[in-house]
């Protein structure tokens, strides 16, 4: 923006603003651009973040890793993804992260000021490490922040993956500029990122939003956390693959049986393809899962009264049939005052939500 507009936004006198901008230009954080649009009188000049600023955003999922490099405004300049099982442990996974980071930084070189990483489990944001993550054996209290900060020579933030996805959608996606929203991620696991007053709400220990382990049935299927009947055990990616395999082997789903014969395995993506092709059993899996998820989201809406619900993650690629079931449950079960102007939408950033949010988290730490 222009110097004049910036001074008005910050309510700073011209001399103070010039001094501060001069200091930031000297530090290489800010650059002076061309003339701004005339507002009458002497033209002001434009100021912007330096073009060579770089931030890394890392999204570690249960089965893949995505790394992106962004500019100072967190616009993705280059990204790389690779299949990688988080169960392999921190050594192999963080090795993959560093390799992908070298690749993307090679495509968009610059000054690396910070990095952010999202992990698929409970994280102590203050200590920068995962704590007793159910699907991440070997990761408990592993010093992720310290290891990556030492490798890259910059500040690193470590957060739960769904929290950084919520940040990404708020700053650059469908929920941009909204101060109150919830982001529901449906992948191998299920989680919820809560943004209140423009900031991620993590709770006292960092476990706020762990909706995947809300118990729906005392006699339900076993969950990865060691309990039974959790939402994740009914509708996570692994649960969908399990139920799809049962339908295929029993002959109740011809479409899934055919896909199993050709591919040798089944995933949530196969369920979506079979449902889209008109397979009744597969479509019923999507409906039942969406209904159960909607019951939990309806409780969140009644409790938090957010301005938007965003649904993302790999299983969200089931698309509008899933979205319709969630909407139906939420609108039916929540108060009209809470849902009267409540959009329930699919993620706009898709696979880039996590890396974008992680980069935003990194800029917050680096610029502060």
């Amino acid at each position: 923006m222009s110097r004049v507009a910036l001074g008005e936004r910050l309510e700073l006198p011209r001399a103070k603003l010039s001094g501060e901008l001069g200091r930031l230009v000297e530090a290489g954080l800010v650059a002076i651009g061309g003339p701004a649009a005339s507002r009458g009188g002497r033209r002001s000049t434009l100021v912007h973040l330096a073009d060579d600023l770089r931030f890394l955003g890392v999204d570690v999922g249960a089965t893949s890793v995505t790394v992106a490099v962004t500019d100072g405004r967190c616009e993705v300049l280059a990204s790389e993804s690779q299949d990688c099982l988080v169960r392999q442990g921190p050594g192999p996974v963080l090795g993959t992260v560093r390799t992908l980071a070298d690749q993307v930084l090679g495509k968009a070189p610059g000054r690396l000021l910070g990095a952010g990483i999202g992990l698929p489990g409970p994280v102590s944001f203050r200590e920068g490490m995962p704590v007793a993550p159910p699907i991440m054996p070997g990761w408990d209290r592993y010093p992720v922040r310290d290891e990556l900060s030492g490798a890259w020579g910059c500040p690193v933030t470590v957060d739960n993956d769904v929290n950084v996805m919520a940040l990404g959608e708020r700053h650059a996606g469908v929920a941009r500029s909204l101060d109150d929203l919830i982001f529901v991620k449906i992948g191998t696991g299920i989680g919820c990122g809560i943004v209140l007053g423009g900031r991620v709400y993590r709770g006292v220990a960092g476990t706020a939003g762990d909706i995947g382990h809300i118990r729906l049935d005392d006699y339900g299927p076993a969950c990865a956390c060691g309990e039974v009947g959790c939402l994740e055990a009914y509708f996570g990616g692994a649960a969908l693959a399990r139920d799809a395999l049962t339908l295929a082997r029993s002959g109740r789903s011809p479409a899934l049986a055919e896909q199993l014969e050709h591919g040798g395995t089944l995933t949530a993506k196969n369920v979506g393809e079979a449902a889209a092709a008109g397979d009744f059993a597969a479509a019923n899996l999507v409906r039942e899962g969406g209904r159960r998820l909607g019951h939990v989201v309806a409780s969140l809406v009644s409790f938090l009264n957010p301005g938007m619900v965003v649904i993302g993650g790999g299983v969200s690629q089931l698309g509008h049939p899933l979205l319709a079931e969630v909407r139906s449950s939420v609108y039916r079960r929540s108060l009209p005052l809470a849902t009267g102007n409540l959009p329930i939408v699919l993620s706009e950033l898709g696979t880039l939500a996590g890396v974008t949010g992680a980069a935003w988290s990194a800029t917050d730490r680096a610029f502060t």
Side-chain angles (χ1 to χ4, degrees):
M1 63 175 66
S2 70
R3 284 174 179 261
V4 171
L6 183 60
E8 292 172 351
R9 174 80 65 87
L10 300 177
E11 298 181 350
L12 287 178
R14 183 173 297 178
K16 174 70 171 174
L17 180 71
S18 294
E20 292 296 333
L21 283 177
R23 185 172 64 87
L24 292 171
V25 169
E26 190 174 328
L29 296 175
V30 167
I32 305 300
S38 176
R39 297 171 57 177
R42 184 180 175 184
R43 275 195 173 189
S44 181
T45 53
L46 293 169
V47 293
H48 59 87
L49 291 172
D51 292 329
D52 66 340
L53 303 185
R54 297 291 181 265
F55 291 89
L56 283 171
V58 181
D59 182 15
V60 176
T63 59
S64 65
V65 171
T66 302
V67 179
V69 60
T70 76
D71 60 15
R73 294 173 292 278
C74 294
E75 294 181 6
V76 174
L77 303 176
S79 67
E80 291 286 343
S81 295
Q82 184 173 313
D83 289 342
C84 181
L85 295 175
V86 76
R87 288 182 174 276
Q88 291 178 324
V93 174
L94 295 182
T96 299
V97 167
R98 290 192 293 271
T99 298
L100 295 180
D102 290 341
Q103 292 176 14
V104 295
L105 286 170
K107 294 179 180 179
R111 285 191 299 147
L112 183 61
L113 290 192
I117 179 171
L119 298 175
V123 169
S124 171
F125 185 75
R126 182 173 57 85
E127 297 177 294
M129 60 178 65
V131 179
I135 65 169
M136 301 169 64
W139 287 82
D140 184 30
R141 306 201 72 82
Y142 189 86
V144 175
R145 180 184 64 196
D146 295 344
E147 179 173 319
L148 293 181
S149 181
W152 292 330
C154 66
V156 175
T157 62
V158 183
D159 205 346
N160 174 263
D161 59 349
V162 73
N163 286 341
V164 297
M165 288 179 175
L167 273 178
E169 287 293 342
R170 190 209 174 230
H171 287 290
V174 68
R176 60 175 61 85
S177 301
L178 277 178
D179 284 340
D180 300 281
L181 68 119
I182 57 177
F183 181 96
V184 179
K185 177 209 171 187
I186 323 167
T188 301
I190 298 176
C192 176
I194 304 168
V195 177
L196 298 175
R199 303 187 69 83
V200 172
Y201 177 75
R202 298 183 177 86
V204 174
T207 62
D210 193 8
I211 65 171
H213 301 292
I214 292 176
R215 183 177 292 189
L216 302 182
D217 186 352
D218 288 341
Y219 303 97
C223 182
C225 70
E227 297 294 335
V228 297
C230 298
L231 173 62
E232 190 172 299
Y234 278 108
F235 195 51
L240 268 178
R242 175 200 66 211
D243 292 343
L245 194 60
T246 300
L247 290 175
R249 287 175 173 171
S250 67
R252 285 181 285 165
S253 171
L256 289 173
E258 184 179 346
Q259 291 185 2
L260 178 62
E261 185 179 347
H262 285 107
T265 185
L266 291 173
T267 65
K269 183 179 179 182
N270 296 128
V271 175
E273 291 170 351
D279 185 272
F280 175 80
N284 196 50
L285 270 187
V286 175
R287 283 194 295 268
E288 283 297 306
R291 182 180 60 82
R292 288 190 171 99
L293 177 65
H295 291 175
V296 174
V297 173
S299 298
L300 296 176
V301 168
S302 296
F303 187 70
L304 295 171
N305 189 205
M308 179 178 286
V309 176
V310 184
I311 298 176
V315 178
S316 71
Q317 293 175 14
L318 293 172
H320 290 282
L322 167 63
L323 190 62
E325 289 296 328
V326 175
R327 283 173 172 168
S328 175
S329 292
V330 173
Y331 294 151
R332 188 172 62 250
R333 288 172 170 263
S334 299
L335 291 172
L337 185 59
T339 58
N341 294 301
L342 176 68
I344 302 175
V345 298
L346 295 173
S347 167
E348 186 177 275
L349 295 177
T351 57
L352 293 180
V355 292
T356 302
W360 271 102
S361 180
T363 63
D364 196 36
R365 172 67 61 84
F367 289 147
T368 302

